[in-house]
Amino acid sequence: MATSAPLGSQDTGIVHVVGARPNFVKAAPVVSALRGRGAHQAVVHTGQHYDDRMSAVFFRDLGLPTPDVDLGVGSGSHAAQTAALMVGLEEEFVRREPGMVVVYGDINSTVAAALVAAKLHIPVAHVEAGLRSFDNTMPEEINRRVTDQLSDLCFATSPEAIGHLAAEGISPDRVHLVGNPMIDTLLANLDRFDADALRARLDLPERYVAATLHRPANVDDPDSVARLTERIHEIADLADVVMPVHPRGRAAFDRAGLGDHPRVRLLEPLGYLDFVALTRGAAAVVTDSGGVQEETTMLGVPCLTLRPNTERPVTITHGTNQLVTEADLLPTVTKVLQGQTPDRLGDDTPPLWDGRAGERIASVLTQWSR
């Protein structure tokens, strides 16, 4: 569906495909920057995250336009969900005939949109291209690799991503180092992350450890959940633990008795502003989330990532992130609470994490043609 008209004009509109809360945070500055350039665009929400706490509240917090369509796909196995996403997205793309489909991150909605668009000969742009954990047990890693191979434009958030894409045979003229749009959103809302107000509203202690865990490796196996519950209870012996619980792991943690410790406070999922305020006010954060690794890097909050690897090594070299195992979680948290944190290997924040990634992406998109 190549065209000589400027991308984003009425006849060659841009369709953004989002499906889960990290997508919304990344898409907001891109949509805003394109709006400022007068581009014709639409937002398709797949409904992969579908309740208010995981979806609608983020649109309100971030000032995103109401999605032009919500496919309402919901949850399911990877195969069932991806199949339903592809069917719904194919109908939308055939009806809209976009000049470009923009996808974000590494969820099933991302790879489904890339597959459908590529087979309909619609160009694809991938925001957050080139991130690699090199761990194919992670569904997100498969999604990243496939999406990048299908993308006409690969927008990289950090320098190492460019090397990964080159190693996989992706032509350099498809790759653009633009910075991190998630950081655009963080910096634009910095004055709205009021940790003191959140602490008062939720009656939180002055000093606490924030936790968020949802990866399959951490929450799908009952034995793993039981061990993590023990470690979190041990941390709670040292400091209060405040944990918004992702719906994906709620039942497993409830069965393991995570909330039975008097100093463990379990919360429902929080909106963007409240969640980052919670992170900002924490003495330390325990997580398995990629986005939290990035946000804590910019906020200067010690982050302990409960994974054997990360697709965001720049948060270790230029940030506050450390990889930890379940076995060394308690001693590492203890050191952090005592003020012992590793020195950053880099003195500066990651390159181009300056709040202008959305503008760089919009510039490339509006000038691009096949």
Side-chain angles (χ1 to χ4, degrees):
M1 193 172 289
T3 177
S4 59
L7 187 60
S9 68
Q10 187 69 27
D11 294 331
T12 59
I14 297 168
V15 169
H16 306 266
V17 177
V18 296
R21 53 197 296 171
N23 291 174
F24 312 148
V25 180
K26 295 161 193 167
V30 181
V31 172
S32 177
L34 285 167
R35 185 191 304 125
R37 292 169 176 263
H40 179 60
Q41 56 185 333
V43 176
V44 173
H45 183 2
T46 66
Q48 186 170 331
H49 279 179
Y50 46 87
D51 70 15
D52 184 86
R53 296 164 300 177
M54 302 293 287
S55 179
V57 66
F58 275 66
F59 281 80
R60 294 193 296 270
D61 282 354
L62 299 174
L64 275 167
T66 301
D68 295 84
V69 64
D70 187 334
L71 299 181
V73 169
S75 58
S77 70
H78 283 285
Q81 186 180 67
T82 304
L85 287 162
M86 291 181 70
V87 170
L89 288 166
E90 183 180 59
E91 293 176 357
E92 281 299 312
F93 295 167
V94 168
R95 181 172 69 86
R96 293 180 181 276
E97 296 188 339
M100 173 71 76
V101 169
V102 184
V103 298
Y104 298 83
D106 53 24
I107 63 172
N108 287 342
S109 297
T110 304
V111 72
L115 283 164
V116 171
K119 291 187 176 186
L120 291 173
H121 310 294
I122 302 169
V124 178
H126 184 201
V127 175
E128 206 177 64
L131 297 186
R132 296 292 182 268
S133 67
F134 301 100
D135 180 357
N136 284 339
T137 68
M138 296 179 64
E140 297 89 349
E141 183 73 358
I142 306 301
N143 292 347
R144 294 180 199 115
R145 289 178 178 273
V146 172
T147 300
D148 285 339
Q149 287 296 324
L150 297 173
S151 295
D152 298 84
L153 291 173
C154 292
F155 291 118
T157 59
S158 56
E160 73 276 1
I162 297 174
H164 297 156
L165 293 168
E168 293 170 12
I170 293 176
S171 174
D173 62 6
R174 292 162 55 190
V175 180
H176 300 264
L177 179 63
V178 293
N180 191 335
M182 178 174 275
I183 300 307
D184 290 19
T185 301
L186 181 81
L187 295 176
N189 290 280
L190 205 55
D191 292 341
R192 302 172 71 193
F193 305 132
D194 192 334
D196 291 335
L198 182 74
R199 186 181 289 111
R201 176 156 54 86
L202 298 182
D203 193 25
L204 301 179
E206 186 67 26
R207 191 168 189 248
Y208 60 85
V209 174
T212 171
L213 300 167
H214 70 279
R215 297 281 180 186
N218 286 328
V219 304
D220 281 3
D221 177 59
D223 291 337
S224 175
V225 172
R227 291 193 302 272
L228 279 178
T229 296
E230 289 181 18
R231 299 293 84 75
I232 292 171
H233 285 179
E234 291 168 350
I235 294 170
D237 289 336
L238 304 176
D240 290 80
V241 176
V242 182
M243 182 172 174
V245 184
H246 194 287
R248 195 176 188 286
R250 182 86 203 206
F253 281 120
D254 285 346
R255 284 192 297 270
L258 179 61
D260 293 347
H261 193 291
R263 296 181 71 186
V264 172
R265 175 80 176 274
L266 302 183
L267 305 177
E268 295 297 326
L270 299 175
Y272 175 70
L273 298 178
D274 282 347
F275 182 80
V276 181
L278 179 75
T279 300
R280 190 179 199 179
V285 175
V286 176
T287 191
D288 55 15
S289 163
V292 174
Q293 297 172 53
E294 295 175 332
E295 289 161 346
T296 50
T297 284
M298 297 302 291
L299 295 171
V301 176
C303 180
L304 309 179
T305 298
L306 195 60
R307 286 172 45 188
N309 49 58
T310 179
E311 63 284 350
R312 294 166 169 86
V314 72
T315 64
I316 296 174
T317 59
H318 288 71
T320 58
N321 188 27
Q322 302 178 65
L323 297 180
V324 296
T325 65
E326 175 259 321
D328 62 18
L329 178 59
L330 178 63
T332 307
V333 171
T334 301
K335 289 179 181 178
V336 170
L337 292 176
Q338 292 172 346
Q340 302 176 44
T341 56
D343 294 332
R344 295 189 185 203
L345 298 181
D347 295 330
D348 302 319
T349 55
L352 300 184
W353 287 25
D354 57 3
R356 298 179 58 200
E359 279 293 338
R360 295 186 188 99
I361 293 168
S363 176
V364 174
L365 286 173
T366 53
Q367 294 177 39
W368 186 86
S369 63
R370 287 224 304 199

